[in-house]
Amino acid sequence: MPNLLLELRSEEIPARMQRKAAGDLKKLVTDALVEAGLSYEGAREYWTPRRLALDIHGLTARSADVREERKGPRTDANEKAIEGFLRGAGLSSVSEAQVVSDPKKGDFYVAVISKPGRATEEIVSDIMPGIIRDFPWPKSMRWGKASSKPGALRWVRPLQSIVCTFGPEHEETTVIPFEIDGITASNITYGHRFHAPEAITVRRFDDYAANLEKAKVILDAERRKDIILHDARDIAFANGLELVEDEGLLEEVSGLVELPQVLMGSFEEDYLSIPSEIIRLTIKTNQKCFVTRASGSETLSNKFILVSNIQASDGGKEIVHGNGKVVRARLSDALHFWKRDQGNLPDLDTLTASAAKFGLDINKPLDQRMAKLDALNVTFHAKLGTQGARVARIRTLAKELADITGADAALTDRAAVLAKADLRTEAVGEFPELQGLMGRKYAVLQGENASVAAAIEDHYKPQGPSDRVPEDRVAITIALADKLDTLIGFWGIDEKPTGSKDPFALRRAALGVVRILLERRIRLPLLETTRDGDLLSFFHDRLKVYLRDQGARHDLIDAVLTPDADDLLMVARRVEALTAFITSEDGKNLLAGTKRATQLLAAEEKKGTVIADGVSQALLKLDAEKELFTAISSASKDASDAVAGEDFRSAMEALSKLRGPVDRFFEEVLVNDEDAAIRANRLALLRLIREATGTVADFSKISG
């Protein structure tokens, strides 16, 4: 079956857009082909800095003929109805329609619409201009003389050529020569911009990829990544070092080169006095280079690895030299930031009021930065005030939380007032992703307690489902205070997440609270802390997500989670105990009996059947109901006592003793006795079953 090759070649596409754009191209083209009545065996997308390519193999050569019968109105229908039918069916008169008789409904018109199949070349020629013109780039541009005309083509970078060939695997292919804004599709492409700029004639994907390789273009992005990674590892190893791997940087760099050439540069060892995190970010952000370290060490070396797009005749010496100059200049700036952040601010006399407000030591650099943050009235949010006001709120909240977490009060207060101080450091100003981490380093330098320093870094954590959770009690306290202040504040101004929109990362903050409480086993009354039932419901949603990710069944979560449950750790422990119980043989059988009891009871309640207020032992006539009453009285007390002691496993074990009496009751007792008093008494007995099991979970919500 024929194959289709498509290439859109342009000036350099931003690396961050390439992978998605290639995927978009594949989806747009294949969806359009299928919608037009074609089928295909497989499709794969490719991308380099200067091209998006698509290989579709096993594509049918033609769409199938379509015959459609469209039923119309009765032959005696009014004229307007008939005219509407003819117009919709594309017929000029009723003589072109067929008349079909129905014994019950009479005669009516039927239009037989035949649509002959179309050649794939014609379909591709029709769909491609629209796909290219409406391509979903995040940003696009116009260029050249045509850019001033209305409706001019917009593309991420100037589009230079299009390849579109179609044909069987072992025969000649044809060009599908559609045109867009003066660019006509052909079978001509071009190789590497510098090493092989000459035109290349291609037929199908195999020779296209092979010819590009000869022309110094490696088409497969995953292969480029593999070359870069392994060559970087090898050159580091050859120099007695190891590569500090970075998947995000590797993805980006592979999108900057069509012919990756891995080289090693260096900088003066004096720059190693800068924290490793700053060095790494400086080199990564400014030069897209990797850093190295001694094998088995966390300390960086003064060697960096760069990836060039050119096979230089001098072995890359000039490229390394040029990159080294830029790296040194950027590291010089970073060293300047690092040293300045450890010195005094020039305007200390203006910071005394802010220092006094937070109990800061104006002689310490990090304290000065916190005072500066407050004095500048830096806005946190227009409706929530300044960063200084936020720190004051976090400080107050942390004081309350310290009683619950068991954190040292003085250390917690110190950590709270310094947690945001590094926002005014030059290092964080240059690299915002270092906030917290730089605060910890500066705190250690000025002699802060280890718990305070750890809290400054860790109070942002966890920032996602795979991020680590703080361990130190002071850090736990500040992390909770920070996230709870964010959630309480944004809930207070009605800035809640809607649908997929969550601009203030409130879901992440709530999940962070959930993870801290559960993974560090903290009992926190959220409703008392937040004073907002709607926010508590939001925490419940995050808790459900977290527990489901941990493998808990959704119905078991629903069975223990009540609207006012604000001790999330207890909810999690109940779910854990219920999971273990309900998968046991006793649990399965008790569930079946309990569901039967609650369903029967609910049905009678719905009908308005009289149910006794309590169980009268005098009306218990049969041994089975007497045995059940005794078992419920005992199990209910034991389960309640166990729940009060937060021993949920023992509560489940107490309830498991009901299994036999419940089974026997339903085998031997007719609940709907003819005697109304006995019936009301037996229904009250069923209610006791519901109440007893309800001490640990709502069994009616459990499936099975």
Side-chain angles (χ1 to χ4, degrees):
M1 293 179 73
N3 302 328
L4 177 69
L5 168 64
L6 180 70
E7 181 201 67
L8 306 176
R9 189 179 64 89
S10 68
E11 292 187 11
E12 278 72 5
I13 305 167
R16 68 184 182 280
M17 298 182 187
Q18 293 168 18
R19 182 182 291 272
K20 182 179 184 303
D24 288 341
L25 180 64
K26 174 183 173 181
K27 185 175 190 312
L28 290 168
V29 173
T30 55
D31 283 357
L33 293 175
V34 170
E35 188 176 344
L38 300 174
S39 62
Y40 63 96
E41 293 177 359
R44 184 177 173 187
E45 71 275 28
Y46 298 85
W47 63 92
T48 79
R50 299 178 62 220
R51 68 200 79 220
L52 303 178
L54 183 59
D55 170 33
I56 301 178
H57 54 272
L59 182 63
T60 47
R62 173 178 196 87
S63 63
D65 296 341
V66 176
R67 185 179 185 277
E68 175 190 353
E69 288 190 1
R70 187 175 299 177
K71 185 178 179 181
R74 286 165 51 100
T75 54
D76 58 358
N78 64 60
E79 191 174 332
K80 285 191 175 181
I82 295 174
E83 286 178 359
F85 160 67
L86 294 174
R87 188 165 50 251
L91 304 181
S92 57
S93 70
V94 291
S95 63
E96 296 178 3
Q98 295 181 3
V99 177
V100 177
S101 297
D102 186 306
K104 294 182 179 179
K105 298 182 180 179
D107 295 344
F108 57 89
Y109 291 116
V110 171
V112 178
I113 304 171
S114 296
K115 294 181 181 178
R118 301 169 65 203
T120 296
E121 294 95 321
E122 181 184 344
I123 293 172
V124 171
S125 183
D126 279 353
I127 67 172
M128 283 310 304
I131 289 174
I132 294 172
R133 189 173 293 281
D134 300 328
F135 201 81
W137 292 109
K139 292 183 179 180
S140 56
M141 61 179 289
R142 293 180 294 181
W143 63 93
K145 293 181 179 178
S147 64
S148 60
K149 298 177 182 177
L153 175 65
R154 299 182 67 91
W155 196 248
V156 63
R157 294 292 185 269
L159 188 62
Q160 296 176 328
S161 68
I162 300 171
V163 168
C164 190
T165 65
F166 179 69
E169 190 173 348
H170 301 295
E171 298 176 21
E172 276 305 314
T173 57
T174 60
V175 172
I176 304 178
F178 61 86
E179 186 269 343
I180 181 168
D181 272 32
I183 302 172
T184 302
S186 68
N187 59 354
I188 303 296
T189 190
Y190 298 84
H192 193 283
R193 181 190 292 276
F194 304 111
H195 293 306
E198 300 83 10
I200 302 168
T201 302
V202 298
R203 292 175 298 169
R204 56 183 59 84
F205 178 77
D206 288 346
D207 71 282
Y208 165 75
N211 283 329
L212 280 181
E213 185 117 1
K214 292 176 185 175
K216 310 297 184 182
V217 174
I218 296 173
L219 183 64
D220 189 341
E222 295 304 322
R223 188 167 156 235
R224 294 198 303 275
K225 286 175 66 174
D226 192 61
I227 290 170
I228 293 168
L229 180 60
H230 285 87
D231 285 0
R233 286 173 176 169
D234 290 347
I235 197 171
F237 180 78
N239 285 270
L241 303 168
E242 67 180 21
L243 175 71
V244 177
E245 297 187 15
D246 186 325
E247 176 60 30
L249 179 59
L250 180 61
E251 174 79 9
E252 183 177 11
V253 170
S254 71
L256 297 174
V257 295
E258 291 190 317
L259 182 68
Q261 304 293 303
V262 178
L263 304 167
M264 177 174 276
S266 65
F267 54 85
E268 288 73 17
E269 292 190 356
D270 291 349
Y271 289 122
L272 294 177
S273 63
I274 306 169
S276 296
E277 295 85 358
I278 297 181
I279 294 174
R280 183 176 178 178
L281 269 175
T282 298
I283 292 175
K284 172 183 176 177
T285 304
N286 292 291
Q287 284 303 102
K288 313 303 178 191
C289 295
F290 298 87
V291 293
T292 63
R293 61 192 170 206
S295 296
S297 171
E298 291 299 315
T299 304
L300 295 185
S301 79
N302 68 323
K303 307 288 187 181
F304 65 91
I305 290 177
L306 62 104
V307 182
S308 169
N309 193 35
I310 299 173
Q311 285 181 330
S313 58
D314 65 355
K317 291 180 181 178
E318 280 302 311
I319 295 172
V320 168
H321 176 70
N323 276 267
K325 284 177 66 176
V326 178
V327 165
R328 291 184 194 94
R330 298 288 77 80
L331 288 176
S332 178
D333 291 342
L335 182 60
H336 178 68
F337 300 151
W338 172 240
K339 289 181 175 178
R340 290 246 311 187
D341 286 340
Q342 297 173 57
N344 290 332
L345 292 173
D347 54 351
L348 290 182
D349 56 325
T350 67
L351 305 179
T352 53
S354 291
K357 184 193 304 183
F358 290 98
L360 297 165
D361 184 347
I362 204 69
N363 294 310
K364 294 184 175 181
L366 199 57
D367 292 58
Q368 294 173 21
R369 272 68 187 175
M370 178 56 220
K372 186 73 172 179
L373 184 69
D374 179 66
L376 288 174
N377 289 319
V378 177
T379 299
F380 168 61
H381 185 278
K383 295 181 181 179
L384 294 174
T386 65
Q387 287 282 9
R390 182 169 186 239
V391 169
R393 293 195 303 270
I394 291 173
R395 187 183 187 187
T396 300
L397 188 52
K399 183 178 180 180
E400 298 173 10
L401 293 173
D403 293 335
I404 296 171
T405 62
D408 180 275
L411 295 179
T412 298
D413 187 67
R414 180 66 174 161
V417 298
L418 291 180
K420 305 296 182 184
D422 67 355
L423 296 178
R424 290 306 305 167
T425 62
E426 296 195 36
V428 172
E430 181 73 10
F431 300 113
E433 55 266 62
L434 292 180
Q435 58 190 276
L437 187 148
M438 293 311 303
R440 179 176 192 162
K441 291 185 179 296
Y442 294 133
V444 169
L445 286 172
Q446 69 177 34
E448 298 296 331
N449 180 280
S451 289
V452 172
I456 293 172
E457 177 179 6
D458 289 355
H459 82 280
Y460 290 106
K461 297 182 177 298
Q463 296 198 55
S466 59
D467 195 15
R468 66 179 176 86
V469 173
E471 296 182 15
D472 184 279
R473 290 185 182 276
V474 175
I476 288 169
T477 307
I478 305 302
L480 285 172
D482 178 66
K483 293 167 180 59
L484 287 170
D485 174 74
T486 298
L487 290 159
I488 293 168
F490 282 108
W491 240 252
I493 61 173
D494 200 28
E495 287 282 2
K496 306 169 188 177
T498 56
S500 61
K501 295 182 180 178
D502 187 9
F504 304 110
L506 301 182
R507 292 189 181 96
R508 186 175 70 186
L511 179 60
V513 172
V514 169
R515 287 193 59 201
I516 292 172
L517 296 181
L518 270 55
E519 294 177 32
R520 296 296 173 248
R521 307 192 73 77
I522 295 170
R523 306 280 304 278
L524 176 63
L526 281 171
L527 194 56
E528 180 182 322
T529 303
T530 63
R531 298 177 179 85
D532 192 315
D534 185 50
L535 180 52
L536 178 61
S537 176
F538 185 67
F539 277 116
H540 285 176
D541 290 340
R542 296 302 98 200
L543 175 66
K544 289 178 182 179
V545 171
Y546 176 80
L547 291 177
R548 284 199 295 266
D549 287 346
Q550 300 297 308
R553 282 169 37 183
H554 69 88
D555 59 325
L556 301 188
I557 300 170
D558 290 340
V560 302
L561 188 59
T562 58
D564 59 348
D566 71 343
D567 186 340
L568 303 190
L569 179 59
M570 287 301 99
V571 172
R573 288 178 58 186
R574 282 174 180 262
V575 171
E576 181 183 357
L578 183 59
T579 300
F581 175 64
I582 217 68
T583 53
S584 69
E585 198 62 31
D586 279 347
K588 291 176 185 175
N589 291 330
L590 179 60
L591 173 63
T594 301
K595 288 179 80 72
R596 183 176 176 184
T598 54
Q599 287 168 358
L600 194 158
L601 180 63
E604 295 302 319
E605 287 174 332
K606 189 174 182 180
K607 289 191 292 186
T609 305
V610 175
I611 302 172
D613 292 336
V615 175
S616 169
Q617 294 189 61
L619 291 174
L620 298 175
K621 302 300 182 184
L622 302 176
D623 289 343
E625 57 185 334
K626 292 176 183 178
E627 179 190 353
L628 178 59
F629 177 71
T630 302
I632 291 174
S633 300
S634 174
S636 182
K637 181 181 182 305
D638 292 345
S640 295
D641 290 345
V643 168
E646 298 174 3
D647 185 354
F648 301 112
R649 288 188 180 275
S650 294
M652 300 294 178
E653 289 174 8
L655 291 178
S656 69
K657 296 174 184 177
L658 291 176
R659 171 193 167 181
V662 168
D663 288 347
R664 185 181 174 193
F665 176 84
F666 282 115
E667 288 172 4
E668 301 179 12
V669 178
L670 177 65
V671 175
N672 286 318
D673 194 89
E674 292 180 359
D675 186 318
I678 292 177
R679 179 171 63 247
N681 199 55
R682 288 174 178 171
L683 288 171
L685 192 56
L686 296 187
R687 188 164 57 199
L688 285 184
I689 298 175
R690 184 170 67 185
E691 291 172 354
T693 55
T695 58
V696 292
D698 183 349
F699 275 48
S700 68
K701 293 183 178 179
I702 302 174
S703 60

